[in-house]
Amino acid sequence: HALNRGYDLSALRARQLKPQDFIEFDLILAMDHENLINIQALLVQVHSEYGASQIRAKIVLMSEHDQTYLKQALPDPYYGGVEGFERVLDQCESSSRAWVNIFRQQFKQQIDVK
């Protein structure tokens, strides 16, 4: 399904979050509410281990700013048949566009301040 939309995902591999991720990355996106809770719990551990000044990452739901799928969990496509995969791709595209718009606004604000 992804390949039909022009996305080659064959080289992608999932991995567990590491404490260093909260220090190295600006944004960590959770795909569902349970995932968000788990990431926030890990953040508490990292916070106590490294201190607040070391943490850069903001943790939010992928659909946080998506007006079409506002704060909706990304469903597991394997339980929805063909439609499930298409819906997940629709939501990923929609939420990604929403994030691009947020980044554009932030960039524009930075330019306007200068």
Side-chain angles (χ1 to χ4, degrees), residues 1-7 69 74-78 80-94:
H1 297 274
L3 199 53
N4 288 338
R5 292 195 190 191
Y7 305 117
Y69 299 95
L74 194 68
D76 188 333
Y78 288 97
V82 171
E83 296 83 20
F85 283 94
E86 292 300 320
R87 188 214 184 271
V88 164
L89 288 168
D90 289 343
Q91 185 173 345
C92 284
E93 289 175 346
S94 181

Side-chain angles (χ1 to χ4, degrees), residues 15-109:
R15 70 169 177 82
Q16 295 290 319
L17 278 175
K18 302 178 295 189
Q20 195 67 25
D21 293 338
F22 295 91
I23 296 166
E24 292 179 5
F25 298 112
D26 295 317
L27 183 64
I28 297 174
L29 299 173
M31 297 297 138
D32 61 43
H33 296 93
E34 182 180 357
N35 188 240
L36 180 63
I37 291 167
N38 292 337
I39 293 169
Q40 289 169 332
L42 181 57
L43 174 61
V44 170
Q45 294 174 354
V46 173
H47 187 274
S48 65
E49 186 175 336
Y50 292 94
S53 64
Q54 297 295 312
I55 297 171
R56 287 178 37 193
K58 178 179 178 184
I59 295 93
V60 293
L61 203 56
M62 172 76 170
S63 60
E64 182 77 20
H65 301 287
D66 186 341
Q67 295 305 306
T68 304
Y69 299 95
L70 187 59
K71 298 185 181 183
Q72 291 183 30
L74 194 68
D76 188 333
Y78 288 97
Y79 298 109
V82 171
E83 296 83 20
F85 283 94
E86 292 300 320
R87 188 214 184 271
V88 164
L89 288 168
D90 289 343
Q91 185 173 345
C92 284
E93 289 175 346
S94 181
S95 292
S96 294
R97 281 190 301 272
W99 279 106
V100 167
N101 288 333
I102 292 296
F103 298 143
R104 279 186 181 142
Q105 289 171 6
Q106 290 174 350
F107 182 72
K108 183 179 178 332
Q109 289 172 354

